[in-house]
Amino acid sequence: MEMAVGIELLQHENEGLREAIKVKDKRTATWKQMAGDPQGVAVFYSPTKVANWRQEQQQQAQVKEDQQAQKAAQRAQQALDKQAKQQQQQERKQQREERAATARQQRAAKAQQRETNIQQQQVSRQLRSEAKHHKQQQQASKRASQLPVMVVIDDEEHAESRVAVSRNSRSRANIRPPQRFLE
């Protein structure tokens, strides 16, 4: 019980001391030293000087608050500008990515088209080659069928009628067989 009473007394004493410190701080805060006054010397002020000094202190405090508000507004504006800049960067990045994706698709489509064209060219070359080969074969067989067949008659009675048949070249010139075939 005695201890509880002692603790309670100490708490009241601490509260009193705290109040005294607050009052002292208030007094010193309101009576700051005026500019140009000597330190450590008792100075008496007229009520007008005190009023002027208080007014200057209020103006300085107001200016300080205005500066702080202005700085806060600048910080807020900077944050907004930064956010807008980041958003623009994000949009530009997205646009770049979209352009890159479109370019990749176009390149792939061009490559596919090139591949298709190459295949078509190869097929058309092969068809032309086959057609040319087929035509050459037809012409060769046609030429072979147009060549005269030499018939050598060994009969002496028909020996007089042995005549060499001539044929035409491509330029339509007559080609006669060698004499040895005629005898």
Side-chain angles (χ1 to χ4, degrees):
M1 190 73 153
E2 289 179 21
M3 204 183 265
V5 172
I7 291 174
E8 196 172 317
L9 285 175
L10 286 174
Q11 286 176 350
H12 283 294
E13 186 179 350
N14 283 343
E15 287 176 15
L17 291 173
R18 285 187 186 126
E19 283 295 321
I21 290 172
K22 285 181 186 177
V23 169
K24 184 179 178 186
D25 286 344
K26 256 188 181 176
R27 251 188 260 148
T28 56
T30 54
W31 290 102
K32 294 180 184 173
Q33 186 174 357
M34 285 195 222
D37 291 338
Q39 292 182 352
V41 178
V43 181
F44 295 100
Y45 297 107
S46 67
T48 55
K49 268 192 172 183
V50 170
N52 288 341
W53 180 78
R54 284 184 178 161
Q55 189 176 9
E56 286 175 14
Q57 290 296 318
Q58 287 177 350
Q59 286 176 352
Q60 287 177 357
Q62 184 65 35
V63 167
K64 194 173 184 179
E65 286 177 16
D66 290 345
Q67 288 175 347
Q68 288 176 350
Q70 187 178 8
K71 286 180 183 179
Q74 285 177 346
R75 283 192 295 267
Q77 185 62 38
Q78 286 175 346
L80 289 174
D81 291 344
K82 184 177 180 180
Q83 187 179 12
K85 187 176 181 180
Q86 286 176 346
Q87 186 176 6
Q88 288 175 348
Q89 287 176 343
Q90 187 70 21
E91 288 173 0
R92 285 194 301 263
K93 182 179 179 181
Q94 187 177 8
Q95 289 173 351
R96 277 194 309 269
E97 289 173 354
E98 288 173 0
R99 284 193 304 261
T102 304
R104 279 193 300 272
Q105 289 174 350
Q106 289 175 349
R107 282 193 301 268
K110 281 184 180 180
Q112 182 68 29
Q113 184 65 32
R114 261 187 261 123
E115 191 67 31
T116 305
N117 287 344
I118 289 171
Q119 289 175 354
Q120 288 176 351
Q121 288 174 354
Q122 288 175 347
V123 167
S124 69
R125 273 191 220 125
Q126 187 176 5
L127 289 175
R128 281 193 304 252
S129 174
E130 288 175 1
K132 183 178 179 181
H133 182 66
H134 183 66
K135 187 175 179 181
Q136 287 174 349
Q137 284 180 344
Q138 283 180 343
Q139 287 177 352
S141 67
K142 188 175 180 182
R143 268 189 256 129
S145 67
Q146 290 177 353
L147 287 178
V149 178
M150 276 201 196
V151 178
V152 178
I153 303 172
D154 285 337
D155 287 351
E156 287 188 20
E157 52 183 69
H158 291 80
E160 298 163 2
S161 64
R162 216 186 286 174
V163 178
V165 179
S166 64
R167 63 184 178 107
N168 292 337
S169 68
R170 286 186 186 180
S171 62
R172 304 276 186 216
N174 284 334
I175 299 175
R176 301 184 92 212
Q179 199 62 0
R180 66 176 182 233
F181 291 120
L182 296 176
E183 296 175 357

